Structure formats: C-alpha cells, structure tokens
Amino acid sequence: MRQPDVETWLDSIETAWSYVDELDLAAVDEKASLRNQARLEPLDDDTVERYAADMTRGDVFPPVIVRSKNSRLVVLGGNHRYHAAKRSKTSISAYVIDCTDEQALRISYEDNRRHGLPPSVLERCRQGAHLVALGYSVAAAARVVGLNHQRLQRAITADEFVRRCRALDIVPVPDLVETTKARLMAIRAD
C-alpha cells in the first residue's frame, strides 16, 4: 500500500523512485542487504518471527525501500519486513529508488529510525558520527538519525577522547560516562 508520507520524504531528499505492489523477493541480494543494515546486529529473529506471524494473519506492512545495484536489489529500509515476507511466503510492496551511495546510507539510517525495530541510542550515535565524517553538519546528522544535536556532539567528542587516549597509549577508563569523556576531551595539554 502506497505511503504518502514516505513518498514526500523520498521527494524531499531528491531521489527518483517508483512504487511496486509486489516486490520480487528472489531479486533481492540478501547478503548485500544485511551488510547495508544500520544496526550492529543486522536482524532480530524475534522481530522477524513476529512480523511473519502478523503477515500470515493478513496485516499490511509499510513498503520496503530497495535500490538496484549490480543487477540485484538491495534493501535499504525494511530488512526485517523483507525477511518476514520471505519466511511467511507473503508479498510485500516496495519503493525502488535510484540514488547515490551517500543517499542510500542516509535512507538506510533514516528509515530505520522511522519504521519497525528502532536502533539503539548507541547505534544512532554511530550512524550520526558516520554522517558527520561524510560531511554532514552535526545538526543535520542528528536530525537524520533522530537525536538531539548536543547528544550527538557529546558522543562524537567522547569517541574522539577514546581515540586520543589510544594514540597516546593511555587506556581510557571504559566505565566513564560520555559527558565525562566529553569534558576530559576539552583538556588539550598532552
């Protein structure tokens, strides 16, 4: 079933897309789709089982988002839904998009925030830091992954503190809270 809010979102990030009522599940490159997953653990089996049971009962799920790459389809958003449809032998609709690798990454991160099993705060911090490393502003990256920009900045600063300690052969105290690491990062004299 078409989703006007998803279509508006895809238009807002300037991707070309088309809608298909029934995704050819066999055309999906599962390994590439799981490598593309925005979570630390690509699939949660309990979630897949729950979705599959719901699909078998006739529940309708939002379309997955896929892109064509190397003559196969790669799931950018909806790996749990895709695997549930495959497991339950039901069909699922999809938005097939044409996008750059950077847009694909953003779509994967943002779709995981918008639908289904939400990524943890740690996963969203890592996603946001990755977007910042690609050139996004902290505020823009925070919006994409669904964090407050101060929270993302603290996480980035805490990661920099750990990298700085490792570079100086100092073992950082692992149980320091992020805010403490961020404050310690302000100390510039090595």
Side-chain angles (χ1 to χ4, degrees):
M1 181 164 72
R2 292 182 78 136
Q3 303 254 294
D5 61 323
V6 172
E7 294 173 8
T8 301
W9 169 59
L10 291 173
D11 288 341
S12 75
I13 56 177
E14 300 177 358
T15 59
W17 57 269
S18 61
Y19 174 81
V20 293
D21 278 325
E22 193 170 315
L23 176 67
D24 178 6
L25 299 177
V28 173
D29 182 338
E30 288 184 22
K31 288 181 182 179
S33 296
L34 290 176
R35 280 192 310 270
N36 182 59
Q37 182 54 258
R39 292 182 183 81
L40 298 174
E41 288 295 322
L43 287 178
D44 179 78
D45 286 330
D46 291 338
T47 300
V48 173
E49 283 299 322
R50 190 176 73 246
Y51 287 3
D54 292 344
M55 288 176 177
T56 301
R57 283 192 296 275
D59 288 0
V60 178
F61 279 73
V64 296
I65 300 174
V66 298
R67 81 184 278 209
S68 181
K69 185 142 187 175
N70 301 327
S71 72
R72 300 290 314 265
L73 295 175
V74 176
V75 177
L76 300 179
N79 269 304
H80 287 98
R81 288 172 272 157
Y82 161 76
H83 282 276
K86 189 172 178 189
R87 191 170 292 176
S88 65
K89 296 178 175 53
T90 58
S91 64
I92 192 162
S93 57
Y95 287 101
V96 181
I97 63 168
D98 180 29
C99 64
T100 65
D101 289 343
E102 185 178 323
Q103 285 173 315
L105 181 68
R106 177 186 175 170
I107 289 166
S108 178
Y109 289 169
E110 196 165 350
D111 184 71
N112 274 279
R113 177 183 58 81
R114 296 164 53 98
H115 295 291
L117 182 66
S120 69
V121 172
L122 174 63
E123 290 167 328
R124 288 184 290 146
C125 286
R126 288 183 177 171
Q127 294 166 1
H130 188 207
L131 291 173
V132 169
L134 292 173
Y136 282 69
S137 70
V138 172
R143 276 192 304 275
V144 168
V145 300
L147 290 173
N148 173 293
H149 77 279
Q150 290 96 346
R151 172 73 172 86
L152 179 56
Q153 184 61 62
R154 271 196 321 270
I156 291 169
T157 303
D159 285 346
E160 289 172 5
F161 169 75
V162 171
R163 278 193 297 278
R164 186 174 174 207
C165 286
R166 286 185 184 138
L168 297 170
D169 287 329
I170 300 169
V171 178
V173 180
D175 58 352
L176 285 177
V177 294
E178 182 180 273
T179 52
T180 302
K181 290 178 185 176
R183 284 189 204 114
L184 287 172
M185 187 60 183
I187 301 170
R188 293 291 176 200
D190 293 333

